[in-house]
Amino acid sequence: MHGDEAQGRQRHHDGASSSGERGEEAAALLEAAGAALEYLRVVPDRRVFPTEQALTALSAFDEPLPDRPGDPTQTLRFLHEIGSPATVASNGPSYFGFVTGGAHPAALAAAWLASTWDQNAALPVMSPVAARLHAAVQGWVVELLGLPPGTELALVTGATTANASAFAVARDSLLARHGWDVQARGLIGAPELAVVVGEHAHATVRKALGLVGLGRDRVHVVPADDQGRMRAEHLPDLAGPVLVVAQAGEVSTGAFDPFDEIADWAAGRDAWLHVDGAFGLWAAVDPSRSALVRGLERADSWATDAHKWLNVTYDSGLVLVRQPGALRRSFFATADYLPPDSAGRVELGHMTPQTSQRARVVEVWAVLRTLGREGLVHLVGEVCAHARLVAGELTAGGLRVLNDVVLNQVLVAGRDAASTRALLAAVHDDGRIWCGPTTWHGEPALRFSVSSWRTTRVDAERAARVLLELARQVDAIG
Ligand SMILES: Cc1ncc(COP(=O)(O)O)c(C=O)c1O
C-alpha cells in the first residue's frame, strides 16, 4: 500500500459524510472511466499476452487485508496500475485464441450503465426494465435465427450452462411423457433415457450432461467425418426416450452437423433434438450461410453464447426452447414472499438455474439494437471473410490449413509436428498476436479463431504476415 493511500484509510476510519461518499463515488467512477479509456487506447498495440514484468508485478496483490476502510479511487488506481498490464488483450484486435469475442462499444457502455443500475433480473417486480428488454430480445433473436415463433429464451452464464439448462428441460419433458416427474422424484428409478452425441461434441457438453444427472459417459457416440461433422447415417436405432445433441460450429473447424438428417431421424422417435451452437448459431443470421444451418429450426432447443460472436462482455449465454412453459416447469421455485405463479410472464428467476441474476439482457439488447439486422450480417460476414483471408495467405505462403474454412476457425500446421510446435512457441514468444494449440486427427496444429468485432481486414492481414514471418524463422514452411 502506498503512503498516501494509508493516510486516506486513516481519514476514512475517522468518518466520512454521505455527501463526501457520493463525491467519492463520482471520483471512483471517473477514475474507472479514465482507466478504461486509457486501456482501450493502448491495448491494440501492446503485447497480446502480458509481459513477464507485468506478471511479476501481480505480487503486489499479495497484501494483507487492510484493517481500515479506504478510498475507492485509490483502490481503482491500484487495480489499473497493477491489473491492466497483466490482462490478456482479448479485447484487442489481435487475439485469436479459443473462441473469444471482444466487447462491442454498445455492450461495454451498456454494461457500465447496467452495473450502475445494479438490477436483479430474476423478477419483473425487481426490474421492470430488464423484463421489458428481455421480451424485446427474445422476439428479435427468435426472428434473427429463424427459430419457430413462440420459442422462449433465457439468459445464463454461457453455453455450458445454456446446454445444461436445455438438457434439464429435455430430460424433464421426455420423462414426463412416460409419467415420470423428474423435478418431484429425481432420476433414481426413472425410465431409461438415452443420450446421443457426436464424436466431436464440445467437451462441455459432457460436463453439462453430468451436471443434470444424465452422465458424462453413458452416451451413444456417433462417429464424425474429417471436419468433425456427425455422420447421421450412423445414428443408433433407438426408440427413445432419447436426447440427441447436435452441433453448430465444431470448436476447431467451425463445421456444422447435418441438422435436417438428424431431425429426420428424431422425427420417427420419442426424441428431443438439441443444438449446441456456442458460436456457430449466429451464422443463421446471414442468408448467405443458410446451407450450413439447414434444418436448424427443426430442433427442440438451442444454446449459444453472447460473449463470443455477439461481442458482449463475460459472462453471457442464451438458451432457447421451442415448447413454451418448458423452461419454467424445470426451474420454477416458489416461496411465500415471491409473487404468485404467473406463467407467461418473463421471470428469469423461474426459467434458469440461477435465481438472483444480473441483467445480462441489457448488453445483448444494446448490441442487437445498435447493429440491427444488417450490422449483424456484416459482423458475421466480416469475421468469416477474415478467417478465409488468413487461411488463403497462409496456404499461399507455404503453411498448411487443415480444415475447410466454412466459418471463423482456421487450423494451421507447419511442415511437420515439430515445426508446428516451434511455430506456436514463436507466436507466444513474439507477442504481436495470440492463438492456442490443439491436436487435429493426431497432428498438432495452431487453432486460429476470428471472433472479435475489433479485428479488421488490416489486422487479419497483419496476423497472416506475422505467422508467415515466424514460420520462416523457425523453418516451418515445407
Ligand atoms: C461448441 C461449444 N459448446 C460449448 C462451449 C462452452 O462455452 P462457454 O465456455 O461459454 O460455456 C464452447 C466454447 O468454446 C463451444 O465452442
Side-chain angles (χ1 to χ4, degrees), residues 158-160 202 204 247 249 251 276 278-279 305 307-308:
T160 305
H202 195 261
T204 57
Q247 180 164 256
V251 76
D276 171 15
F279 56 100
D305 270 317
H307 56 223
K308 291 190 169 74

Side-chain angles (χ1 to χ4, degrees), residues 397 399 415 418-432 464-478:
L399 283 169
R415 61 187 167 78
S419 69
T420 301
R421 287 195 196 96
L423 175 58
L424 184 72
V427 166
H428 290 176
D429 196 40
D430 177 78
R432 282 176 287 174
R465 269 200 313 276
V466 168
L467 276 169
L468 286 170
E469 178 194 315
L470 296 173
R472 281 190 290 271
Q473 278 173 23
V474 300
D475 197 18
I477 293 177

Side-chain angles (χ1 to χ4, degrees), residues 284-336:
V285 307
D286 180 358
S288 74
R289 263 159 257 279
S290 58
L292 290 176
V293 295
R294 190 172 301 122
L296 179 80
E297 73 291 350
R298 295 174 65 192
D300 299 286
S301 57
W302 305 262
T304 190
D305 270 317
H307 56 223
K308 291 190 169 74
W309 214 333
L310 202 59
N311 282 258
V312 308
T313 71
Y314 287 94
D315 48 8
S316 186
L318 276 57
V319 55
L320 295 127
V321 177
R322 171 193 287 267
Q323 196 182 95
L327 280 160
R328 191 178 185 91
R329 279 193 290 283
S330 292
F331 295 115
F332 184 70
T334 187
D336 287 343

Side-chain angles (χ1 to χ4, degrees), residues 154-464:
L155 284 110
V156 290
T157 55
T160 305
T161 326
N163 282 329
S165 303
F167 297 163
V169 172
R171 174 200 67 190
D172 295 357
S173 300
L174 284 168
L175 292 181
R177 293 179 204 163
H178 293 260
W180 190 272
D181 181 348
V182 177
Q183 290 299 319
R185 303 170 73 181
L187 278 176
I188 296 167
E192 180 74 14
L193 198 172
V195 179
V196 176
V197 301
E199 187 184 348
H200 279 255
H202 195 261
T204 57
V205 163
R206 300 231 186 176
K207 173 172 165 175
L209 288 169
L211 197 65
V212 302
L214 294 177
R216 292 185 181 212
D217 295 338
R218 57 181 284 289
V219 291
H220 298 261
V221 178
V222 182
D225 69 9
D226 63 337
Q227 299 299 308
R229 289 175 293 236
M230 194 191 280
R231 292 177 60 189
E233 70 275 22
H234 290 292
L235 279 159
D237 189 13
L238 299 165
V242 54
L243 162 64
V244 56
V245 183
Q247 180 164 256
E250 203 276 343
V251 76
S252 293
T253 64
F256 287 63
D257 284 344
F259 305 120
D260 245 347
E261 291 169 47
I262 301 169
D264 286 346
W265 173 89
R269 295 155 212 273
D270 180 13
W272 180 288
L273 170 55
H274 172 76
V275 178
D276 171 15
F279 56 100
L281 209 65
W282 295 100
V285 307
D286 180 358
S288 74
R289 263 159 257 279
S290 58
L292 290 176
V293 295
R294 190 172 301 122
L296 179 80
E297 73 291 350
R298 295 174 65 192
D300 299 286
S301 57
W302 305 262
T304 190
D305 270 317
H307 56 223
K308 291 190 169 74
W309 214 333
L310 202 59
N311 282 258
V312 308
T313 71
Y314 287 94
D315 48 8
S316 186
L318 276 57
V319 55
L320 295 127
V321 177
R322 171 193 287 267
Q323 196 182 95
L327 280 160
R328 191 178 185 91
R329 279 193 290 283
S330 292
F331 295 115
F332 184 70
T334 187
D336 287 343
Y337 64 88
L338 292 175
D341 184 356
S342 49
R345 285 209 322 219
V346 175
E347 295 183 329
L348 282 185
H350 295 311
M351 293 166 68
T352 59
Q354 316 94 276
T355 302
S356 292
Q357 51 196 287
R358 73 184 179 92
R360 295 186 172 82
V361 72
V362 176
E363 288 180 59
V364 175
W365 173 85
V367 172
L368 293 176
R369 186 173 188 279
T370 303
L371 290 181
R373 183 187 298 277
E374 276 180 23
L376 281 164
V377 173
H378 183 74
L379 174 66
V380 169
E382 285 287 284
V383 159
C384 295
H386 299 338
R388 260 199 323 276
L389 180 150
V390 169
E393 296 284 312
L394 297 186
T395 310
L399 283 169
R400 287 181 302 136
V401 170
L402 305 182
N403 65 314
D404 297 340
V405 182
V406 294
L407 208 67
N408 60 332
Q409 304 291 105
V410 189
L411 287 174
V412 185
R415 61 187 167 78
D416 56 18
S419 69
T420 301
R421 287 195 196 96
L423 175 58
L424 184 72
V427 166
H428 290 176
D429 196 40
D430 177 78
R432 282 176 287 174
I433 63 169
W434 201 95
C435 61
T438 193
T439 303
W440 187 247
H441 296 317
E443 184 179 0
L446 276 66
R447 190 161 148 272
F448 187 98
S449 171
V450 191
S451 311
S452 176
W453 74 277
R454 274 187 212 279
T455 303
T456 63
R457 186 186 167 87
V458 171
D459 300 313
E461 285 168 348
R462 172 177 176 264

